[in-house]
């Protein structure tokens, strides 16, 4: 059996780290990507190696296309293949519409939307060498509904979801399956950057029809389903994992 390889961007912590560890448990060798959190990335690598799998740690700001190209060059040199790409890394400026500046917009769009296009191009080149692969991106409810201070990130996630549909069609001929998972609020470090964190958590705890907040593992379970062969006929979709909160007015 050939050893399969999965890249998870932003896997130094949170949902990305949990996905990397789950994929390692499923037998994949892992590429861990991060931008600033070297310690977190190395800890993820240690956990993966303890599971008996290989971990390649690559620092690359996915908002920068040159860094993306170097990252994939390294993956090609070390593993020579890629079977799974989880587009998880995200960042963004949380401001009301009237306070958003061009640099905030560019930063957010580059990391959350542009990265998917240019990573998917590079991933597709590696995947098609071995007959195909799977791409799953992580989105959020702000792509389809209003969230306070979330304009730049919400629009970047809407672009990511639209791009997921285009990639699903054009990469299908290379046997590459492309989808996304969108989540309600999950209590990770990402929420520390939300000016209204406490309010958001309280609302999610109180109002989610499922009676509890979405947890990291709920997101990972949906990602794993989209990476499994059971979902092969699902293409270009964004599955919402939010305990039903987006169904409320
Ligand atoms: N938490 C939520 O409520 C929630 C809800 C729905 C969807 N999501 C989505 O789930 C995904 C993961 O979120 P999370 O909550 O796990 O976030 P998190 O804990 O803040 O982790 C974000 C990860 O992305 C990496 N990252 C950030 N900017 C990067 C860049 N420019 N290049 C490469 N890596 C970068 C971070 O690494 P460094 O520290 O090294 O930069 C970190 O590993 C995101 O796409 C997010 O939008 C989150």
């Amino acid at each position: 059996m050939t050893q399969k390889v999965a890249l998870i961007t932003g896997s130094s912590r949170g949902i990305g780290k949990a996905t990397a560890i789950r994929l390692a448990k499923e037998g994949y060798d892992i590429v861990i990507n991060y931008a600033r959190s070297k310690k977190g990335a190395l800890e993820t690598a240690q956990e993966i190696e303890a599971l008996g799998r290989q971990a390649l740690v690559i620092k690359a700001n996915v908002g920068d296309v040159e860094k993306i190209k170097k990252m994939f060059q390294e993956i090609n040199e070390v593993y020579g293949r890629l079977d799974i790409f989880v587009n998880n890394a995200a960042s963004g400026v949380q401001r009301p519409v009237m306070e958003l500046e061009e640099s905030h917009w560019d930063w957010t769009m580059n990391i959350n939307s542009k990265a998917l296009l240019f990573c998917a191009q590079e991933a597709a080149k590696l995947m098609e060498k071995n007959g195909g692969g799977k791409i799953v991106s992580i989105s959020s409810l702000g792509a389809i509904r209003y969230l306070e201070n979330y304009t730049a990130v919400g629009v970047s996630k809407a672009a990511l979801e639209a791009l997921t549909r285009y990639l699903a069609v054009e990469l299908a001929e290379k046997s590459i399956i492309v989808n996304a998972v969108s989540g309600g609020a999950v209590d990770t470090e990402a929420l520390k950057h939300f000016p209204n964190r406490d309010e958001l958590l309280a609302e999610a705890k109180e109002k989610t029809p499922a009676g509890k907040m979405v947890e990291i593992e709920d997101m990972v379970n949906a990602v794993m389903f989209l990476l499994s062969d059971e979902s092969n006929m699902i293409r270009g979709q964004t599955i919402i994992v939010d305990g039903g909160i987006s169904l409320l007015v």
Side-chain angles (χ1 to χ4, degrees):
M1 271 272 288
T2 325
Q3 186 55 50
K4 291 193 171 181
V5 177
L7 161 67
I8 304 94
T9 59
S11 41
S12 53
R13 58 169 189 266
I15 295 164
K17 176 179 179 176
T19 306
I21 288 169
R22 184 80 79 85
L23 281 163
K25 285 183 181 158
E26 296 273 316
Y28 287 84
D29 282 340
I30 304 294
V31 183
I32 298 160
N33 157 257
Y34 74 102
R36 285 154 301 219
S37 313
K38 186 175 181 184
K39 192 167 166 274
L42 294 176
E43 280 167 10
T44 309
Q46 269 181 354
E47 289 185 44
I48 284 161
E49 281 158 4
L51 292 165
R53 301 266 61 94
Q54 273 193 57
L56 171 66
V57 177
I58 306 182
K59 174 182 162 78
N61 169 11
V62 296
D64 179 335
V65 178
E66 281 313 304
K67 301 274 163 46
I68 288 174
K69 288 190 174 162
K70 278 194 189 145
M71 172 166 72
F72 279 90
Q73 219 173 356
E74 196 176 337
I75 295 169
N76 191 28
E77 280 161 18
V78 175
Y79 289 125
R81 67 180 293 143
L82 187 69
D83 302 280
I84 281 174
F85 162 44
V86 180
N87 181 62
N88 164 81
S91 184
V93 179
Q94 308 255 354
R95 296 266 179 101
V97 165
M98 294 304 285
E99 291 173 25
L100 279 172
E101 294 166 15
E102 190 180 7
S103 62
H104 302 151
W105 176 266
D106 290 345
W107 172 267
T108 310
M109 295 300 284
N110 286 349
I111 296 170
N112 298 357
S113 314
K114 190 171 82 173
L116 172 59
L117 175 61
F118 292 99
C119 285
Q121 284 181 355
E122 297 304 314
K125 290 178 206 163
L126 280 178
M127 286 173 177
E128 70 178 334
K129 291 204 298 182
N130 293 295
K134 294 193 171 140
I135 298 175
V136 173
S137 289
I138 313 295
S139 189
S140 63
L141 293 181
I144 53 163
R145 68 204 289 259
Y146 179 79
L147 298 177
E148 201 179 345
N149 296 313
Y150 205 72
T151 302
V153 183
V155 173
S156 73
K157 294 294 195 184
L160 173 147
E161 291 183 14
L163 186 52
T164 295
R165 294 187 280 273
Y166 283 91
L167 292 169
V169 173
E170 295 200 12
L171 300 185
E173 66 183 19
K174 299 182 193 297
S175 297
I176 296 170
I177 296 173
V178 188
N179 286 292
V181 172
S182 176
V186 187
D187 194 7
T188 66
E189 269 189 50
L191 287 202
K192 291 190 182 142
H193 305 292
F194 283 57
N196 50 335
R197 175 180 183 270
D198 294 342
E199 217 176 281
L200 207 130
L201 286 175
E203 196 202 10
K205 277 181 190 147
E206 193 188 316
K207 294 195 179 155
T208 303
K212 57 183 181 142
M213 278 187 65
V214 179
E215 289 174 8
I216 287 179
E217 289 306 319
D218 298 317
M219 296 293 286
V220 178
N221 288 339
V223 171
M224 294 306 289
F225 170 64
L226 289 175
L227 293 175
S228 76
D229 287 342
E230 274 133 55
S231 61
N232 278 353
M233 285 303 279
I234 300 177
R235 307 286 176 114
Q237 301 301 308
T238 299
I239 294 185
I240 296 177
V241 179
D242 71 345
I245 201 167
S246 64
L247 302 171
L248 308 178
V249 182

